[in-house]
């Protein structure tokens, strides 16, 4: 079922190195967690209606790696990868994240973020809070200027649809 972005994710910049995203989902926490952590479900929303997910690898354990790759209709490949630092099922997920198309001269350390997602449920609805910690203000601003918010809004709308479909 096609959707249009509801722009329901709230994006703020709490510090010069951080992006904070908050979004409520009309689904219980366990189902949102499932949509966030199971490869076959991530493939259904991570593309944000901008292509097809061709790789979705998830080794969901502390120290485990993850990698997502999408190909746009014009053949452009977009990939991200990282590692799991902390996992509290249905509650908290801390990962590193690196864009695989970092500009020349930007180190992986400088171009990586640490992302902390928390999942809180109230009355069958789940609020996901995603804190993106960049290496510095320049990196944070580059993420914002990449247009990530539009894709994020669409991806999270799809993630809500996926989670709700699991009922």
């Amino acid at each position: 079922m096609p959707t249009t972005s509801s722009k329901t994710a709230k994006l703020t910049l709490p510090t010069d190195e951080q992006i904070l995203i908050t979004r409520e989902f009309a689904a219980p926490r366990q189902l949102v967690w499932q949509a966030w952590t199971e490869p076959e479900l991530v493939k259904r929303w991570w593309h944000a209606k901008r292509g097809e997910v061709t790789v979705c690898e998830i080794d969901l354990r502390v120290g485990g790696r993850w990698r997502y790759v999408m190909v746009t209709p014009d053949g452009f490949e977009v990939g991200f990868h990282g590692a799991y630092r902390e996992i509290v099922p249905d509650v908290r997920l801390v990962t590193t994240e690196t864009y695989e198309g970092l500009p020349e001269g930007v180190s992986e350390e400088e171009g990586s973020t640490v992302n902390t997602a928390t999942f809180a449920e109230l009355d069958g609805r789940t609020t996901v809070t995603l804190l993106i910690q960049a290496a510095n203000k320049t990196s944070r601003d580059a993420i914002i200027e990449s247009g990530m918010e539009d894709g994020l809004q669409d991806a999270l709308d799809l993630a809500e649809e996926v989670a709700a479909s699991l009922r």
Side-chain angles (χ1 to χ4, degrees), residues 36-37 42 46 55-61 63-69 79-85 93-100 113 115:
W36 212 271
T37 59
V42 172
W46 190 78
V55 176
C56 185
E57 299 167 348
I58 295 176
D59 181 7
L60 191 61
R61 62 184 174 84
R65 310 274 309 158
W66 65 270
R67 183 170 184 249
Y68 305 158
V69 177
F80 289 83
H81 67 269
Y84 294 100
R85 289 189 170 179
L93 193 61
V94 180
T95 66
T96 59
E97 179 177 80
T98 303
Y99 172 54
E100 294 179 359
T113 61
N115 301 345

Side-chain angles (χ1 to χ4, degrees), residues 48-109:
K49 298 188 264 185
R50 284 156 175 76
E52 177 187 351
V53 176
T54 56
V55 176
C56 185
E57 299 167 348
I58 295 176
D59 181 7
L60 191 61
R61 62 184 174 84
V62 173
R65 310 274 309 158
W66 65 270
R67 183 170 184 249
Y68 305 158
V69 177
M70 175 188 72
V71 176
T72 65
D74 61 0
F76 184 71
E77 190 172 271
V78 179
F80 289 83
H81 67 269
Y84 294 100
R85 289 189 170 179
E86 181 184 340
I87 301 167
V88 180
D90 300 336
V91 175
R92 182 176 161 97
L93 193 61
V94 180
T95 66
T96 59
E97 179 177 80
T98 303
Y99 172 54
E100 294 179 359
L102 286 173
E104 184 85 22
V106 176
S107 70
E108 186 163 323
E109 181 179 308

Side-chain angles (χ1 to χ4, degrees), residues 86-162:
E86 181 184 340
I87 301 167
V88 180
D90 300 336
V91 175
R92 182 176 161 97
L93 193 61
V94 180
T95 66
T96 59
E97 179 177 80
T98 303
Y99 172 54
E100 294 179 359
L102 286 173
E104 184 85 22
V106 176
S107 70
E108 186 163 323
E109 181 179 308
E110 183 182 33
S112 294
T113 61
V114 175
N115 301 345
T116 302
T118 57
F119 302 77
E121 183 177 343
L122 180 64
D123 297 328
R125 297 181 67 84
T126 302
T127 298
V128 175
T129 304
L130 178 61
L131 180 65
I132 300 171
Q133 178 68 52
N136 51 51
K137 184 180 187 311
T138 302
S139 295
R140 185 213 58 189
D141 290 351
I143 293 167
I144 295 295
E145 290 163 13
S146 74
M148 65 78 77
E149 185 177 2
D150 284 340
L152 174 77
Q153 295 283 356
D154 290 342
L156 295 179
D157 286 349
L158 290 172
E160 181 174 38
E161 288 179 18
V162 170

